[in-house]
Amino acid sequence: MNQPITRNLPASAPDDLGGGGDLAPLPEWRLGDLYGGTEDPAIEADFAAIAADCGAFGADFRGRVSELDAAGLAGAIRRYEALEQRLARLHAYAQLVFSADASSAVSGRFYQSVTERITAIGTGLLFFTLEINRIEDAPFAALADEGGLAVYAPWLRDLREGRPHQLSDDLERLLHEKDVTGHAAWSRLFDETIAALRVPVGGEDLTLSAALNRLSDPDRGVREAAGRAIGVVLQRNARLFTLITNTLAKDKAIEDGWRHYPTPISARNRSNRVEDEVVAALVAAVTSAYPRLAHRYYTLKAGWLGLDRLEHWDRNAPLPDDADRPVAWPEAQAHVLAAYRGFSPELAAIGERFFTNAWIDAVPRPGKSGGAFAHPTVPDVHPYILLNYHGRSRDVMTLAHELGHGIHQSLAAEQGYLLARTPLTLAETASVFGEMLTFRSLLDGETDPARRRLMLARKVEDMLNTVVRQIAFFTFEQRLHERRRDSELLGEEIGDIWLGVQRESLGPAFTFSDEYRMFWAYVPHFIHSPFYVYAYAFGDCLVNALYGIYQDEVASGRGAAFAARYLDLLRAGGSRRHGELLAPFGIDAADSAFWQRGLDVIAGFIDELEN
């Protein structure tokens, strides 16, 4: 079933960021546009109606999909899409309730119950896509040439690319039904464990998110205390995190083997609709650039901080004289919307709806999911945004990032449920572009040279977190999954892989204290969405190139034309591939020069700081 689930949503790059402070009032979302509460009678009524309609759908089409003409198949797809969307609405609501308080047993039970019921009902729809894929290529091509299926052509194309990896109907049904006690159950255990962790720092028992925020404290003693305490708490739970990681990696290897995927990343690339060579070119370009990017910058940073070597708790340390004054929520909202408005009034108008309609939950709470995400829910409702806002400048960028996702999802919704979802290769475009718009707007408005230098350094660090750190995460996953195919890994072995890629990516400016070897354990993307993380680097390099083109067109008086093409890209959702969408901008992701252009932007910023 094509459910929009948190683990596959565009989210802020996983990182050691969080925060604290009293910045009330902060918005909390109201989920009433989905359902009025977990006891809302509409939930039971919807389940009953959908179950009946799924039964009728099966009675009408099971075993005879190959007999349908183009008009009949198009009509069946419309019914299938409507059923999937109704199920997705239920799942989105349960997921958002759980994300708001993953430590609540009641929320956890509701989420699990809804997921199990959706899985049971969705099993009755599984036959439809399987039967479409059993139609041989020649008769299917003749069928698809008829006009009635044109609107669903992209969805059918992507569906049929999975034919070589499709299993028998019984096996597909087994995998579908067992997910609630397999991957989904282990993911839930991870989420609940992370939400329940408490880290003792400075006499306080902090949530993990709040403790991670202390790694950005100006006081190095506070940073060190937090860094060591986080490592101790993660180590205390090492057996559980190691078991979860080993189990899910082996689970993936088993399914990959049955589906004949040659490498652990192959399934992700296919779902992302991106060629293996494009991803390989991206990874090679970034890893070869480690010395001129991260190694060079962090050597500079060590000097600025007056240190011979940095520890891991210094990576996000503020620079000297960088007070990073708290930014109240109304000010953050005004900054972000003004930046969007300067680029496109239409984009800003869509973004403003998130603030006026309580579609954002920004309050840090015990039990709430860490990090940030934008959930598209379903096309006939609207997205919701979750973040933990602590008033730091990075939180303003997170708001700009997630609002970009929300706007993108809102625009793509017009494609309908099956075609709205954007592949990861482009899913980070709007979010990172929104960050860039906001950063440039703030930088252009700053006249103090010292403040501009600090803003530029913060931006470099954010870009390194988005590009270098995420490709290092990707490399960590590759090595872990490759070794797990041979045997279970000890926690110490996973820690060795982690420290190895951190040393390679961050460079000789760092030493790493022993407790840092457990910091792999809290990154949710490793659990929920293996190999998701390269999408961040893809998006950042793409946006660097796009923004450069935008600046060129503004200089020549064609800024409005660029904005129009950009909105068309967002509206396309998943209806077009990345090559087709980027062609109007003169961008070819298969060209290694494209990646170098994006990395050169980061290197140029470091040049400015170095000089």
Side-chain angles (χ1 to χ4, degrees):
M1 193 175 103
N2 185 23
Q3 298 172 3
I5 50 182
T6 301
R7 61 177 176 266
N8 287 333
L9 293 177
S12 291
D15 208 57
D16 307 350
L17 305 178
D22 182 9
L23 294 161
L26 293 172
E28 296 186 69
W29 60 27
R30 291 194 296 271
L31 302 178
D33 291 340
L34 291 166
Y35 291 100
T38 58
E39 301 297 326
D40 187 344
I43 293 175
E44 288 302 320
D46 281 354
F47 266 123
I50 296 168
D53 290 344
C54 284
F57 182 83
D60 288 344
F61 297 111
R62 189 186 303 274
R64 51 181 297 264
V65 172
S66 62
E67 303 169 6
L68 299 173
D69 60 15
L73 182 56
I77 294 174
R78 281 193 294 273
R79 284 178 61 181
Y80 171 80
E81 180 177 37
L83 289 167
E84 287 280 4
Q85 180 165 320
R86 290 161 67 190
L87 287 171
R89 183 189 186 110
L90 286 158
H91 194 271
Y93 179 70
Q95 195 168 37
L96 292 173
V97 167
F98 180 67
S99 298
D101 188 0
S103 66
S104 165
V106 174
S107 296
R109 182 178 66 177
F110 176 71
Y111 176 48
Q112 183 68 16
S113 173
V114 168
T115 302
E116 290 179 3
R117 295 176 72 179
I118 288 172
T119 299
I121 294 172
T123 301
L125 296 175
L126 193 59
F127 77 91
F128 185 62
T129 54
L130 299 178
E131 289 192 29
I132 290 175
N133 271 355
R134 282 205 298 270
I135 302 172
E136 293 299 326
D137 286 339
F140 183 83
L143 190 71
D145 281 343
E146 300 184 36
L149 287 174
V151 67
Y152 293 112
W155 178 75
L156 288 166
R157 174 201 61 203
D158 295 337
L159 175 68
R160 287 181 65 81
E161 284 188 357
R163 289 186 75 210
H165 310 291
Q166 183 170 299
L167 305 176
S168 69
D169 288 9
D170 285 345
L171 282 176
E172 292 287 358
R173 179 175 177 177
L174 175 66
L175 290 173
H176 178 79
E177 291 186 355
K178 280 186 65 63
D179 184 65
V180 294
T181 57
H183 186 280
W186 288 100
S187 297
R188 177 187 169 191
L189 175 61
F190 172 85
D191 288 342
E192 292 183 354
T193 302
I194 289 292
L197 292 181
R198 293 297 178 268
V199 183
V201 182
E204 299 179 78
D205 282 339
L206 303 177
T207 64
L208 182 61
S209 174
L212 290 168
N213 172 68
R214 300 294 174 91
L215 299 178
S216 300
D217 196 278
D219 187 329
R220 194 173 193 233
V222 172
R223 297 198 304 272
E224 179 178 357
R228 293 192 184 278
I230 292 167
V232 168
V233 170
L234 293 175
Q235 182 61 47
R236 198 175 292 149
N237 292 271
R239 290 183 62 186
L240 177 58
F241 289 128
T242 301
L243 176 61
I244 293 172
T245 299
N246 270 294
T247 301
L248 288 178
K250 186 62 177 178
D251 180 75
K252 176 173 168 47
I254 292 170
E255 184 167 342
D256 283 352
W258 276 89
R259 294 192 183 279
H260 304 293
Y261 285 117
T263 70
I265 192 181
S266 298
R268 172 64 64 193
N269 287 350
R270 192 191 72 77
S271 68
N272 286 351
R273 306 163 209 164
V274 63
E275 300 78 15
D276 289 352
E277 56 269 24
V278 170
V279 177
L282 164 66
V283 174
V286 175
T287 53
S288 67
Y290 285 167
R292 72 186 180 108
L293 299 181
H295 297 187
R296 185 161 60 116
Y297 175 78
Y298 288 118
T299 298
L300 289 172
K301 182 167 185 174
W304 296 334
L305 294 176
L307 302 171
D308 293 328
R309 302 286 292 276
L310 300 173
E311 282 287 355
H312 70 88
W313 53 73
D314 298 316
R315 186 172 58 83
N316 285 322
L319 298 181
D321 302 320
D322 186 359
D324 196 13
R325 67 172 183 81
V327 182
W329 180 261
E331 185 181 354
Q333 174 182 336
H335 281 321
V336 172
L337 288 178
Y340 275 90
R341 192 174 296 111
F343 173 75
S344 164
E346 181 180 353
L347 229 57
I350 297 170
E352 196 158 10
R353 290 157 51 193
F354 284 80
F355 297 94
T356 58
N357 290 290
W359 298 349
I360 301 176
D361 193 313
V363 180
R365 294 185 300 270
K368 182 179 175 180
S369 293
F373 64 75
H375 196 309
T377 69
V378 286
D380 60 344
V381 184
H382 54 77
Y384 281 98
I385 290 173
L386 177 145
L387 66 152
N388 292 273
Y389 189 81
H390 305 282
R392 295 185 180 274
S393 58
R394 282 193 171 112
D395 294 325
V396 179
M397 292 299 124
T398 299
L399 174 60
H401 182 105
E402 298 306 335
L403 189 65
H405 280 312
I407 292 170
H408 191 177
Q409 293 161 359
S410 298
L411 287 166
E414 65 189 54
Q415 296 292 337
Y417 180 72
L418 293 180
L419 293 173
R421 186 171 173 181
T422 306
L424 291 186
T425 46
L426 291 174
E428 294 299 325
T429 304
S431 54
V432 179
F433 198 83
E435 283 190 70
M436 183 64 84
L437 289 172
T438 303
F439 167 72
R440 292 287 188 175
S441 174
L442 293 172
L443 186 68
D444 291 345
E446 181 58 66
T447 57
D448 182 347
R451 292 292 305 164
R452 286 176 61 86
R453 173 180 171 274
L454 291 171
M455 291 174 67
L456 193 61
R458 282 197 217 117
K459 183 59 177 175
V460 167
E461 293 198 13
D462 288 344
M463 295 172 94
L464 293 178
N465 283 336
T466 304
V467 177
V468 169
R469 188 162 167 79
Q470 302 314 313
I471 293 302
F473 281 0
F474 173 82
T475 303
F476 167 78
E477 288 188 276
Q478 279 190 311
R479 294 177 185 176
L480 185 148
H481 281 263
E482 286 167 1
R483 289 186 56 184
R484 181 62 183 93
R485 288 189 167 195
D486 298 326
S487 66
E488 182 167 294
L489 296 171
L490 299 175
E492 292 81 1
E493 293 174 310
I494 300 175
D496 287 342
I497 297 171
W498 172 257
L499 286 179
V501 298
Q502 294 302 307
R503 291 189 178 106
E504 291 167 13
S505 61
L506 297 179
F510 279 89
T511 58
F512 294 103
S513 56
D514 191 60
E515 77 280 342
Y516 189 61
R517 65 173 45 249
M518 276 302 300
F519 269 57
W520 57 269
Y522 79 85
V523 181
H525 295 62
F526 299 159
I527 302 301
H528 294 303
S529 307
F531 303 106
Y532 181 109
V533 289
Y534 75 72
Y536 294 112
F538 194 111
D540 196 272
C541 290
L542 170 59
V543 165
N544 287 343
L546 274 178
Y547 198 85
I549 295 168
Y550 169 59
Q551 287 180 308
D552 292 343
E553 297 207 11
V554 168
S556 59
R558 300 194 306 272
F562 178 95
R565 295 202 307 278
Y566 177 76
L567 264 67
D568 285 343
L569 181 151
L570 301 187
R571 286 192 180 94
S575 66
R576 286 182 278 167
R577 295 289 180 90
H578 66 87
E580 183 183 358
L581 286 169
L582 296 177
F585 301 94
I587 291 175
D588 179 6
D591 183 356
S592 60
F594 160 70
W595 301 116
Q596 290 301 331
R597 179 174 181 176
L599 297 172
D600 286 346
V601 172
I602 307 175
F605 286 165
I606 299 173
D607 289 343
E608 285 190 53
L609 292 170
E610 197 171 41
N611 293 331

